[in-house]
Amino acid sequence: ENGHHASSRGALIVLEGLDRSGKTLQSSRLLSYLEGERIPVELWRFPDRSTCVGQMISSYLSNKSELDDQTIHLLFSANRWEKRSLMETKLRSGTTLIVDRYSYSGVAFSSAKGLNIEWCKAPEMGLLAPDLVVYLDIPPEKAAARGGYGGERYEQLEFQRKVAQYYQILHDATWKSVDACLPIEDIEKRLRELAMDCVTTCHKGKPLSQ
Ligand code: T5A
Ligand code: NA
């Protein structure tokens, strides 16, 4: 008995954090766990590089094209908007979504470049609100030391320090911070607990909000 019934909705679970904080590793482990619990679940990520907009973003991130800061900000947002209706359909039909980065990344990274934070938030209004945001908390220096750093546009220590400051501004009561420097299995265990609580609450009828 996992508490799931046909009328219940899925949970929108978002993982956030600096580059190399472990979001992708933990989201795929959480996916396997929830699948094992026979909870209908999918793993999504933003940017979703599979769409036309996503390909423009990917080209920008890999330094193959140049865009001004406002333009790339709006493309990141459009990349979420183009998935919004499918996201709502999935959630309402009972599928839980684990989402690797969401609006908080959009606002934190663009604000760190110097764009006005309220301007950055505006195009995110009306997207679905997460039921749970897990922030994988890592000092920028430790993230940089994990290796594989330096390939993409934003993977620079000074810039990641600024992003971390903006994440702190965005941090609210709905966030759960997890120490991203703990052993992988400890983080995984904490995520399982947080996700199961959230899934249960949503199954019980917590309304979906914007
Ligand atoms: N962006 C994104 C915006 O500017 N605006 C937006 O709106 C959005 C959505 C691409 C970039 O776009 C920006 C943010 C990004 O700069 P991305 O494709 O998600 O975003 O790329 P990254 O998040 O940078 O992906 P990374 O792969 O760098 O980071 P992850 O997913 O956080 O880290 P992960 O899981 O790959 O792990 C990194 C390494 O650490 C090890 C792993 O094995 C791996 O080697 N590791 C650990 N080591 C020790 N202890 C642990 N607990 C560990 N956990 C993982
Ligand atoms: Na990632």
Side-chain angles (χ1 to χ4, degrees):
E1 169 56 38
N2 58 25
H4 178 75
H5 42 87
S7 63
S8 61
R9 76 163 175 96
L12 180 52
I13 299 172
V14 168
L15 273 77
E16 286 284 358
L18 297 180
D19 293 25
R20 297 296 184 273
S21 55
K23 298 174 302 299
T24 298
L25 180 101
Q26 291 295 340
S27 38
S28 63
R29 286 187 175 216
L30 182 60
L31 174 74
S32 307
Y33 172 71
L34 294 177
E35 283 172 344
E37 296 294 303
R38 297 203 286 146
I39 289 164
V41 60
E42 289 182 13
L43 173 53
W44 286 25
R45 68 179 56 234
F46 290 108
D48 178 339
R49 302 186 194 218
S50 71
T51 70
C52 291
V53 172
Q55 283 161 33
M56 291 178 72
I57 295 170
S58 189
S59 158
Y60 172 84
L61 287 172
S62 54
N63 295 303
K64 292 192 185 96
S65 65
E66 293 302 321
L67 294 166
D68 58 41
D69 294 344
Q70 289 85 352
T71 306
I72 185 64
H73 180 76
L74 294 172
L75 288 177
F76 272 116
S77 186
N79 188 228
R80 285 183 280 280
W81 275 101
E82 66 183 335
K83 306 294 286 197
R84 189 201 177 285
S85 65
L86 182 60
M87 187 178 256
E88 182 165 357
T89 303
K90 294 274 181 190
L91 292 168
R92 289 202 189 282
S93 69
T95 301
T96 283
L97 301 178
I98 302 166
V99 183
D100 186 351
R101 292 195 185 278
Y102 197 53
S103 299
Y104 310 95
S105 285
V107 177
F109 280 76
S110 292
S111 298
K113 291 170 161 179
L115 296 183
N116 176 277
I117 191 167
E118 296 306 323
W119 186 88
C120 292
K121 284 179 181 173
E124 305 299 315
M125 285 172 60
L127 291 172
L128 297 171
D131 297 296
L132 169 66
V133 180
V134 178
Y135 182 68
L136 292 179
D137 195 5
I138 189 168
E141 298 72 21
K142 293 219 169 142
R146 277 186 178 172
Y149 218 55
E152 287 207 322
R153 189 178 286 264
Y154 297 147
E155 293 174 351
Q156 293 168 25
L157 183 53
E158 264 320 303
F159 184 68
Q160 296 283 325
R161 285 196 180 111
K162 287 188 190 143
V163 174
Q165 288 168 2
Y166 278 98
Y167 267 127
Q168 290 320 305
I169 293 171
L170 297 173
H171 199 289
D172 65 39
T174 68
W175 287 41
K176 304 288 181 193
S177 239
V178 177
D179 182 353
C181 296
L182 291 172
I184 288 169
E185 288 69 26
D186 293 7
I187 299 169
E188 185 179 8
K189 183 166 174 286
R190 181 74 184 125
L191 264 166
R192 288 177 179 188
E193 295 163 357
L194 291 169
M196 284 308 281
D197 279 357
C198 179
V199 167
T200 304
T201 308
C202 292
H203 282 177
K204 281 179 182 159
K206 181 188 173 214
L208 192 60
S209 61
Q210 296 193 344

